[in-house]
Amino acid sequence: MNDFMRNLLFLPEQASTFAHRVDRLHYVVIGTTVLAALGVGTAGLAFFWRYRIRTHGQLTQDVKAPLWLEALIVGVPLTVFLAWFAVGFSDFVFFTSPPKKTTDIYVEGKQWMWKFAYPEGPNAIGTLRVPAGRPVRLLMTSRDVIHSVFIPAFRTKMDVVPGRYTQLWFEATEVGRYPLFCTEYCGMSHSMMAGEVVVMPPAEFDRWFEAQKAGRPAVQDGTPVVGERVSLPADLVHEGQRVSAQLGCFKCHTVNGEPHLGPTWLDLYGRVSKFQDGTERVADEAYLTESMMDPSAHVVAGFANMMPTYRGRLQGPEAAALVEYIKSLRSARAPGEGAAP
Amino acid sequence: MTDHAPHAHGSPLRYLLVFLGLLVLTVVTYVTGKMHLGGWALPLALVIASTKAGLVLAFFMHLWDTRGAPLVAMAVSLLFIVTLLALVFGDVAFRFPLARPDRMGNYEALPVGALLGDGPDGHAHPVPAKR
Amino acid sequence: MAETHAHHFPDAGVQRHASLLGMWLFLSTEVLLFAGLFVAYGYYRFLFPGAFAEGSRAMHTWLGLANTVVLIASSFAVALAHHAAGAGRNRTTFWLLVAALAAGVFFLGVKAVEYVEHFRAGELPGKWFTHPGMKAPGISLFYAVYFLATGLHALHVVVGMSLLAWAAVPAWKRRYGPGNVGLVENAGLYWHLVDLVWIFLFPLLYLV
Amino acid sequence: MRPSETGTGSLQPDESVLTGAPSLHPSGEIFPAAHYLNAGTRLRSWLVTVDHKRIAVLYLVSTLTALFLGGLFAMAVRVELVGPEPNLVDAVGYNRLFTLHGVVMVFFFMIPAIPGIFGNFMLPLMLGAKDVAFPRLNLLSWYVYVVGAAFTLWAMLYGGADTGWTFYTPYSTITPTKVTPILLGIFVTGFSSILTGLNFIVTIHTLRGPGLTWMRLPLFAWALYGTSIIQLLATPVLGLVVLAAALGHIFAFDLFDPARGGDPVLFQHLFWFYSHPAVYIMVLPAFGVVSETVQAFGRKIIFGYRAVALATAGIAFVGFFVWGHHMFVSSQSTFDAGAFGVLTMLVGVFTAIKVFNWVGTLYKGAIVWRTPLLYVCGFLYFVVFGGMTGVAVATVSLDVHWHDTYFVVAHFHFIMVGATLMAFLAGLHYWFPKMFGRTYPEGWGMVAGALIILGFNATFVPQFLLGNMGMPRRYYTYAEQFRTLNVASTFGATLLLFGFLLVGLYLLLSLRGGKVAGPNPWGSKGFEWLTQSPPLEHNFRTQPTFHGPPHDYSTPVEENLHG
Ligand code: HEA
Ligand code: HEA
Ligand code: CUA
Ligand SMILES: [Cu+2]
């Protein structure tokens, strides 16, 4: 029955717990809809025939509705609709409430590609690998306009909005490959902003993940995916280098240990920066980000308060890349010794 | 000051009283506005403003002596404004916390620890710019 | 204008009723126009209370206060003008309307001064915001709302003044009289609405 | 006018429907010597007219032009989509096409069409009034519409916009296309809508003829009343949001800019606060038309007048509280999803009441099968299917899959084309003799109607299935598995095009060559038929008085008529 209805309605395969859950309601709703439309329209047609005019100038009388009919006219649709709502909303609550423990994956949409990043792990463009049978949560943001992640086989979809994170969770049930679409109009290549979800057996997923983490490029599940690029964290460093060149950081900063207009970035991460007002602080990620966004908050002793703010000019991921780049700049000396700039 | 104009409701005296009332309320709102009442400042200001608006509507605009459609029009407009506000707040106040625009840059609010700096490897996931 | 009426109305009473009703309906659309702004205000204030506090603190409160008083007074004048017109005292009507117009000019003048100040200080919306001292997140949104709200309101002041000026013409020509005050009444209603909006804008933007 | 010669003779059942002969009325009717159309023939007399009937004709011409233009865009969209490969335009061109299609159809055709044409023409006639309350304002609102359309046309010629008709930020602020003039065009047109609504409300309040109580008001007037309320109270919010978006574009002053803490979802709230009620601006007048035609051709008074009138008010009112159902997956809160979900269900119930009342009206009627009724028949199927699929997408969990897929596209075309446009066509055929004094060829009417209904199904039923398969909307190219259904849809659209062209053709020809209709070719007891067709310049020779409800067919039609 399930497969019959599914095929009749052209629905794709059911590959998530949510898909299994909502499809039943889907059949009921569409079934009722078809029946209601056919019923009402055909009743109209039948009346057209049954009550066609028979004599010239035929007169008709007002027909008053009995109370029970009025009650039925209001009551039946109301009950039906509220029932749909009740079931639908409880499913929706399921859809918006991820379980306590989920595998979190970060998603970034930008015109016109998807980036998936695993905490402590690899990141990939266009292909999202997830384990079957484990709840996965996508934490999603956009760096330009609104996009939307849509995985028809999971029956799930959520907008990806700049300036915030939205979440989308699912638990894949079938191993396989499923298309992923962008469904929020986002400009020229909106229709080409596609991706693929690869659902892997959990053990295989773990192996793949470990391999990625260790830096070995490995695609465990045989057939390579078209267009798939699995990149290592190191890419972020190169990205950071590119960004800093592009934004002109090197006009003031060096990476070779020499102070210039600004302090050198070599060994900056983990060092203790001393400020004009006498305070000091360990240069961790938060501090590095702050220095870019709000440089005059802490002015390093010995330097002028001249660095411009990059707030609004740096996209979130670019800031992250810069941070990673600065972190990668280590001399032979042990880190954290607080060497003078 | 005859009142033979059939629809000139209200007398100049009434207008004057309303005017004075409005002035007093303006002063009150100004003074209380400067008093740093914390959480009460906004409700108070709104109550005063609504009272003033009510005075203008009722007397300057003669709604007090009007029946029927204009009254309904105003009431319905007000109702729609209130629902618009209520349902928009129903969204922003209850949505997934990270989906609030003011939460970006507030790293502590992120569920998976700090987005940055969770260890030597760092992560390769997008990082919100601090605003 | 006097006791005549357009041919499609059965009598002048109906015509008057129609024009008053039309005006009120128009006012309700105006109310909803500003509703959108108030929603934006409430929404962003909820998200960025700090910015809104900082923004309103930077405002020249006494200028806003002066403008409030002036607008209320002008509303008072217009209400009196309507009354005088109904009593056939056209001279009084005329000068009251002129007074209200003067108030409008004053209001716009003050607003212009404030705008210039904001421009100088870089207290502007969006990327134009350059004020070095204000740091609260969302501060540029405060100014976006501020400029949209006050700008739209100022536009309404201009329209209202045009209406008042228009309504002053029959007063000058001594045309108003009992039962014939439609124009000054409708212009007055519009002006009161302009006042009404400001009554809300003032505390919200300048005080709390 | 001689009441005894009205066209009741035409209503004999034995007439062959498909003969093509416009035998609706006894021949020998004489075209009235003086009427509103010849009360001044120079162009100037049209451009400065304050006659509600002439303004209606101005609207007829301009909104049908918009329909034609929007239809052309639709055809281009369909041609592009016959296959995933580029067929007609490039991606940007496609994005402009569907944007302009949506904008033109919604703002320049569907919202102004029925109120502007039939509302303007019929409302004063139905009320027994000489004109609307503010005739000059009425003319002004047409000009405002034209100015808005001109802005938009200008923008279209110089590149168009590619944002979709919803103009979601931040895309609409960063796109280099001509968003601003289009937004301003919509802003300006909004005023036209407001002025029309205001005029109708005041007209209904103040210009009802003697004896015409609220509960005798024709249902079309009720529908216009509900519509006008929405126009008055929702349009300003659109005005504001469109203005804010335009300013954002011009001055980089974006109220919703996420880089500065702004919230694009707030834009969506404000947009839909207008645009959901706007769908009822589009559909309520169509419901009014159906109420009229069902009574006129069912030759029976409406079943449950009070219920239909109240349901109209109910839709207008509750329609304001459901906008969030467009935003279920926008990151809106679950709380709001629930609130909007429940409220949306109520709108469905009000519509259901109306539907059942129309069907009930046919029960024990004396039904005359004419082209308008063919459209009503299509309407009944499509409004229920389109409406129920609306309720289906309002079922929160199901919308997660359907949102922004072709299922939604099919839903709203079912309602906007299947229901509203069908009702428009029904009204056009029903009132064509009233407006121009001549009839259209009944046989061709039936053929074209059948073609349109067929083509409509072939166009949009496949789109439901596409949506289920997961094809997102606003897609220039698509995965191979979606091809077959898209071809079917394009095929259907071609039938639709021929159907419409046929209608356009025979109506144009009938303007001059149609048989003279006589004052009341349908033998209708709607109040608008109380005067000659086409009506006099000032509508009535003597002020009609009203002794009962409209469409009371318990007495012979002759009794209802006076000049
Ligand atoms: C004229 C236009 C029109 C009308 C009247 C409607 C009517 C309705 N619409 Fe539709 N809608 C649109 C035009 C319209 N819509 C458009 C243009 C969009 C897309 C916008 C965009 O994104 O571009 C849209 C999108 C849209 C969505 C968003 C989908 C999405 O993007 O994910 C939703 C969700 O709830 C919805 C719901 C409804 C509902 C519940 C109704 C109800 O009013 C319908 C009520 C009618 C009925 C219910 C039928 C009668 C019922 C019966 C006879 C009862 C039968 C008996 C039994 C149950 C026993 N519509
Ligand atoms: C009133 C509203 C209306 C109407 C009538 C139509 C009519 C049609 N629409 Fe459209 N449509 C919309 C409103 C409407 N649409 C909206 C709002 C959108 C969303 C846009 C967006 O995403 O932003 C949309 C989107 C949309 C899409 C999706 C595009 C995408 O997402 O990529 C498609 C695809 O097939 C489509 C097709 C059609 C077709 C084939 C018709 C056909 O029915 C057209 C048939 C009509 C003609 C061919 C015109 C012929 C007319 C004459 C010849 C004049 C005749 C004269 C007389 C009758 C006197 N429409
Ligand atoms: Cu990204 Cu559409
Ligand atoms: Cu809607």
Side-chain angles (χ1 to χ4, degrees), chain B residues 25-110:
Chain B
L25 284 172
T26 305
V27 173
V28 172
T29 195
Y30 180 78
V31 172
T32 53
K34 292 274 145 187
M35 280 185 352
H36 301 295
L37 294 174
W40 289 103
L42 185 65
L44 184 67
L46 281 179
V47 166
I48 298 178
S50 308
T51 318
K52 288 165 72 180
L55 284 175
V56 173
L57 274 170
F59 301 112
F60 281 178
M61 300 170 85
H62 308 299
L63 217 47
W64 187 262
D65 309 290
T66 313
R67 289 289 160 268
L71 216 57
V72 178
M74 280 294 128
V76 170
S77 319
L78 274 184
L79 178 72
F80 285 169
I81 297 177
V82 171
T83 30
L84 179 57
L85 269 169
L87 284 166
V88 166
F89 277 111
D91 175 8
V92 71
F94 299 123
R95 59 164 86 130
F96 175 54
L98 293 180
R100 282 172 49 161
D102 60 332
R103 294 296 164 88
M104 283 304 262
N106 185 356
Y107 301 143
E108 291 75 28
L110 282 183

Side-chain angles (χ1 to χ4, degrees), chain A residues 9-10 12 26 42 47-48 51 53 56 60 63 85 88-89 92 96 157 159 164 182-183 185 187 190-191, chain D residues 8 13 95 162 171 263 299 329 331 342 363 365 367 369 381 397 400-404 468-469 474-475 553-554:
Chain A
L9 296 176
F10 283 59
H26 189 137
T42 311
F47 288 162
F48 287 160
Y51 299 110
I53 191 165
H56 171 72
T60 58
V63 178
F85 169 77
F89 187 58
F92 187 74
T96 51
K157 172 183 296 136
D159 280 7
R164 73 179 65 178
C182 175
T183 46
Y185 175 69
H190 163 60
S191 60
Chain D
T8 42
N95 297 342
D162 69 339
Y171 184 71
D263 188 351
R299 298 186 59 73
V329 295
S331 81
V342 164
Y363 175 71
I367 296 163
W369 184 246
Y381 279 100
S397 64
V400 175
H401 180 65
W402 281 329
H403 174 71
D404 268 351
N468 269 355
M469 289 173 80
R474 296 169 175 169
Y475 259 30
Y553 294 97
S554 61

Side-chain angles (χ1 to χ4, degrees), chain C residues 169-206:
Chain C
V169 176
W172 180 251
K173 296 188 181 160
R174 300 177 183 274
R175 295 268 173 78
Y176 288 124
N180 179 30
V181 293
L183 191 54
V184 66
E185 179 170 30
N186 281 346
L189 281 176
Y190 192 86
W191 190 254
H192 294 312
L193 183 89
V194 170
D195 185 18
L196 211 72
V197 171
W198 185 256
I199 283 179
F200 282 96
L201 287 182
F202 169 62
L204 291 180
L205 291 173
Y206 289 77

Side-chain angles (χ1 to χ4, degrees), chain D residues 64 67-68 70-72 74-75 77-78 81 94 98-99 101-103 105-106 109-110 163-166 282 406 409 412-413 416-417 421 424-425 428 456 459-460 463 472-476 489 493 496-497 500-501 503-505 507:
Chain D
L64 281 186
L67 171 65
F68 187 71
L72 286 188
M75 290 318 294
V77 163
R78 280 317 326 162
L81 291 181
Y94 178 81
F98 71 69
T99 304
H101 166 65
V103 166
M105 283 296 199
V106 169
F109 169 65
M110 194 136 278
T163 57
W165 81 285
T166 48
M282 300 182 235
Y406 263 83
V409 174
F412 65 76
H413 282 92
M416 302 216 282
V417 183
L421 199 55
F424 174 81
L425 288 171
L428 194 60
F456 170 77
T459 313
F460 296 108
Q463 295 190 1
R473 60 193 281 208
R474 296 169 175 169
Y475 259 30
Y476 165 66
S489 180
L496 210 45
L497 173 68
F500 275 106
L501 285 178
V503 175
L505 194 70
L507 287 186

Side-chain angles (χ1 to χ4, degrees), chain D residues 12-94:
Chain D
Q12 291 172 20
D14 53 349
E15 265 176 23
S16 162
V17 163
L18 283 172
T19 52
S23 53
L24 296 165
H25 49 88
S27 49
E29 287 288 355
I30 303 159
F31 205 81
H35 51 82
Y36 78 102
L37 289 167
N38 66 7
T41 45
R42 301 238 302 286
L43 185 64
R44 206 187 114 82
S45 74
W46 282 91
L47 292 183
V48 299
T49 182
V50 290
D51 181 352
H52 65 101
K53 299 180 289 302
R54 287 190 160 210
I55 295 175
V57 174
L58 293 178
Y59 267 112
L60 181 73
V61 173
S62 42
T63 53
L64 281 186
T65 313
L67 171 65
F68 187 71
L69 209 62
L72 286 188
F73 289 132
M75 290 318 294
V77 163
R78 280 317 326 162
V79 169
E80 179 54 54
L81 291 181
V82 251
E85 60 283 340
N87 292 312
L88 193 67
V89 287
D90 59 6
V92 178
Y94 178 81

